[in-house]
């Protein structure tokens, strides 16, 4: 079904496109027609189409941008690009974006503590590390992400949250929503519908927050439970909270409706145009160098390698055909790689040289089940020929793999 969304402006960021009175815009599974002012559109085309300088914010009072991408790495790259390249003095920016299913951890968090990495891999759910602090969140198309860009001196998270509350109540005046001292938004005094994180640079700053409209609770609850035990770390832990979808209170509180209301409230507060500019996060003519930034955000070195140093202490039960023993394992992990590994098993269970071989092979490797599987499969081909000893060796290797 097509419908008109007043107050939105769409412009082409491709070199040879001509603006039309009505232009279809794809937003996931639906398509909608968006009206725009020809005068404003040509003005914004002039502002945006400067390949040598990228996105130039010369619009009075700032800009309201919305991503046409649902890729977490591309959208996080937009945040970095705006923070690093744009002059925000007197020209704040609101960035609206949504993602396909993704778990996003904070800059100083440990993914092994925060989520179920193996389950996410099975379900095709992405993992991303953002450059701001804060806790872990689950994104999907039922969650809105809002990023408020300002100069460092104008940075004010509480004012931003109050703006969001006004926008929510503009749609549903009876809605009971309050901001907390932790800069969260609570529905009915107990259900968290928004969490906050921020990055403050030398001159620029941004505050971003989520807004739960219609998120998949089954996926959220399952992937945000870590199966790992015995992890000791100084990484920032997430604080568990009761959560609820806004759509559960009122079926008119859809993502599309709320983004329009937030844009309108933002424009009124900052005395700027309420038109939403749709942007393509992969367009190098608008955002020079942005694709390289997106690529860096999805590397193993950034997502896992930036994890603060941690250790794992665990005990594993070893039950073979003829014996039962308990094995203790201690692993130190730095920059996502095994720095040290100690395996304490009874001498009668396996010869010490076999235990040492297993331990040394892991040092320097990624703390990763996939890499551990490769290493262990190689070791299983070398040891030993004795059936009973091989059974114990195989069991030991498989048990060690489970902690990775």
């Amino acid at each position: 079904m097509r419908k008109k969304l007043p107050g939105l402006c769409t412009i082409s960021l491709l070199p040879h496109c001509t603006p039309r009175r009505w232009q279809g815009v794809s937003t996931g599974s639906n398509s909608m027609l968006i009206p725009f002012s020809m005068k404003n559109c040509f003005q914004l085309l002039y502002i945006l189409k400067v390949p040598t300088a990228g996105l130039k914010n010369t619009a009075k009072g700032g800009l309201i941008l919305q991503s046409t991408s649902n890729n977490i790495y591309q959208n996080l790259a937009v945040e970095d690009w705006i923070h690093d390249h744009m002059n925000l003095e007197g020209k704040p920016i609101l960035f609206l974006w949504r993602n396909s299913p993704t778990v996003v951890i904070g800059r100083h968090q440990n993914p092994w503590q925060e989520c179920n990495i193996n389950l996410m891999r099975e379900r095709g759910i992405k993992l991303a590390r953002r450059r701001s602090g804060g806790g872990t969140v689950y994104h999907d198309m039922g969650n809105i992400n809002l990023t408020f860009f300002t100069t460092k001196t104008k940075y004010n998270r509480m004012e931003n949250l109050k703006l969001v509350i006004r926008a929510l109540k503009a749609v549903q005046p009876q809605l009971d929503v309050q901001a907390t001292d932790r800069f969260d938004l609570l529905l009915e005094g107990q259900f968290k519908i928004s969490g906050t994180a921020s990055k403050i640079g030398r001159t620029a700053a941004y505050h971003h927050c989520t807004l739960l409209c219609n998120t998949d609770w089954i996926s959220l609850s399952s992937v945000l439970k870590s199966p790992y035990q015995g992890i000791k770390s100084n990484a920032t832990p997430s604080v568990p909270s009761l959560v609820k979808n806004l759509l559960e209170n009122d079926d008119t509180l859809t993502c599309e409706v709320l983004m329009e209301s937030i844009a309108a409230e933002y424009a009124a507060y900052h005395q700027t145009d309420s038109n939403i500019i749709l942007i393509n996060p992969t367009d190098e003519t608008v955002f020079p160098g942005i694709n390289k930034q997106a690529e860096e955000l999805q590397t193993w070195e950034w997502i896992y390698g930036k994890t603060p140093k941690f250790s794992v202490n665990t005990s594993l039960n070893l039950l073979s055909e003829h014996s039962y023993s308990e094995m203790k394992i201690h692993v130190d992990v730095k920059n996502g790689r095994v720095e040290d590994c100690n395996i304490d098993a009874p001498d009668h269970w396996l010869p010490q040289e076999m235990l040492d071989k297993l331990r040394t092979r892991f040092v320097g490797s990624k703390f990763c089940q996939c890499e551990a599987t490769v290493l262990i499969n190689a070791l299983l081909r070398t040891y030993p020929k004795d059936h009973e000893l091989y059974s114990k060796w195989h069991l030991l290797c498989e048990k060690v793999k489970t902690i990775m």
Side-chain angles (χ1 to χ4, degrees):
M1 178 179 177
R2 295 174 181 267
K3 67 175 183 176
K4 300 176 182 179
L5 299 181
L8 295 184
C9 172
T10 180
I11 60 174
S12 169
L13 301 183
L14 299 177
H16 303 295
C17 272
T18 302
R20 293 174 290 169
R21 183 61 182 171
W22 298 94
Q23 181 169 329
V25 178
S26 173
T27 56
S29 59
N30 297 319
S31 179
M32 60 188 101
L33 289 174
I34 299 179
F36 58 87
S37 159
M38 291 296 289
K39 179 180 178 181
N40 288 342
C41 200
F42 280 118
Q43 179 185 8
L44 288 169
L45 275 170
Y46 177 76
I47 293 168
L48 295 173
K49 290 301 297 169
V50 187
T52 57
L55 184 65
K56 290 295 184 180
N57 182 6
T58 59
K60 181 181 179 181
L63 294 172
I64 302 175
L65 308 177
Q66 181 176 335
S67 175
T68 59
S69 171
N70 303 132
N71 182 294
I72 179 63
Y73 308 112
Q74 294 172 1
N75 288 326
L76 288 177
V78 170
E79 288 192 321
D80 294 339
W81 197 97
I82 292 175
H83 177 272
D84 296 342
H85 293 90
M86 294 198 67
N87 178 11
L88 300 168
E89 189 63 48
K91 299 164 188 168
I93 293 176
L94 170 64
F95 178 43
L96 306 168
W97 46 295
R98 290 191 288 169
N99 297 309
S100 58
T102 309
V103 171
V104 186
I105 60 175
R107 173 66 180 85
H108 307 291
Q109 289 199 292
N110 183 326
W112 291 277
Q113 279 184 301
E114 298 296 331
C115 53
N116 191 325
I117 296 171
N118 294 325
L119 180 61
M120 290 165 56
R121 187 177 292 116
E122 291 173 9
R123 295 184 179 180
I125 297 174
K126 296 181 178 70
L127 175 64
R129 182 188 296 274
R130 60 180 184 267
R131 297 193 187 277
S132 63
T136 299
V137 290
Y138 174 78
H139 289 185
D140 62 14
M141 293 301 290
N143 171 74
I144 301 172
N145 296 286
L146 311 167
T147 310
F148 299 86
F149 294 91
T150 61
T151 59
K152 182 178 180 179
T153 56
K154 296 291 182 63
Y155 168 80
N156 192 321
R157 286 186 290 181
M158 188 56 73
E159 284 302 315
N160 296 334
L161 294 178
K162 289 178 180 178
L163 186 153
V164 174
I165 292 174
R166 292 196 300 271
L168 291 173
K169 292 193 173 184
V171 179
Q172 175 49 268
Q174 303 304 316
L175 206 61
D176 179 11
V177 183
Q178 297 176 344
T180 71
D181 293 339
R182 292 178 55 85
F183 301 104
D184 298 328
L185 291 181
L186 293 186
L187 180 66
E188 299 168 352
Q190 58 177 325
F191 300 107
K192 185 175 176 179
I193 59 170
S194 178
T196 280
S198 60
K199 178 179 178 179
I200 303 176
R202 186 173 59 84
T203 59
Y206 64 75
H207 159 220
H208 50 193
C209 59
T210 55
L211 192 58
L212 296 177
C213 296
N214 191 28
T215 290
D216 181 351
W217 293 127
I218 296 176
S219 291
L220 183 151
S221 59
S222 59
V223 300
L224 294 188
K225 291 180 181 177
S226 171
Y228 290 94
Q229 297 180 352
I231 292 181
K232 292 184 179 181
S233 172
N234 291 325
T236 304
S238 295
V239 179
S241 303
L242 291 173
V243 292
K244 189 175 184 180
N245 275 320
L246 284 164
L247 209 64
E248 294 178 52
N249 271 44
D250 189 328
D251 59 11
T252 66
L253 298 173
T254 64
C255 290
E256 292 76 14
V257 168
L258 291 180
M259 284 192 290
E260 286 183 56
S261 184
I262 291 168
E265 187 62 41
Y266 184 88
Y269 181 78
H270 291 281
Q271 298 182 334
T272 189
D273 198 318
S274 62
N275 287 337
I276 296 175
I277 304 171
L278 300 179
I279 60 169
N280 175 6
T282 66
D283 191 341
E284 291 272 346
T285 65
V286 178
F287 306 101
I290 195 168
N291 289 313
K292 182 179 179 181
Q293 288 182 280
E295 290 171 5
E296 290 173 352
L297 288 169
Q298 53 192 304
T299 61
W300 187 94
E301 287 73 20
W302 170 255
I303 298 173
Y304 297 99
K306 291 297 183 181
T307 301
K309 185 176 180 178
F310 67 99
S311 63
V312 180
N313 290 283
T314 189
S315 296
L316 299 175
N317 296 324
L318 302 172
L319 179 62
S320 68
E321 295 179 9
H322 305 287
S323 65
Y324 168 83
S325 294
E326 182 182 68
M327 174 180 64
K328 294 181 180 180
I329 299 178
H330 174 88
V331 181
D332 290 325
V333 183
K334 183 178 181 181
N335 298 327
R337 294 180 178 273
V338 177
E339 185 179 45
D340 191 22
C341 178
N342 289 309
I343 301 173
D344 183 12
D347 292 338
H348 69 272
W349 211 80
L350 276 177
Q352 186 61 44
E353 66 265 19
M354 294 179 69
L355 295 177
D356 290 341
K357 183 75 171 179
L358 181 61
R359 179 183 64 80
T360 55
R361 285 296 296 270
F362 277 110
V363 173
S365 68
K366 294 178 181 177
F367 188 75
C368 165
Q369 193 168 91
C370 293
E371 185 149 329
T373 299
V374 172
L375 291 174
I376 285 172
N377 287 342
L379 287 171
L380 287 174
R381 288 193 292 267
T382 62
Y383 284 103
K385 293 181 180 180
D386 179 271
H387 174 71
E388 182 181 349
L389 206 56
Y390 180 82
S391 296
K392 292 180 178 180
W393 174 248
H394 183 274
L395 178 61
L396 172 62
C397 289
E398 289 299 310
K399 287 286 187 178
V400 171
K401 188 169 66 176
T402 64
I403 73 168
M404 297 295 185

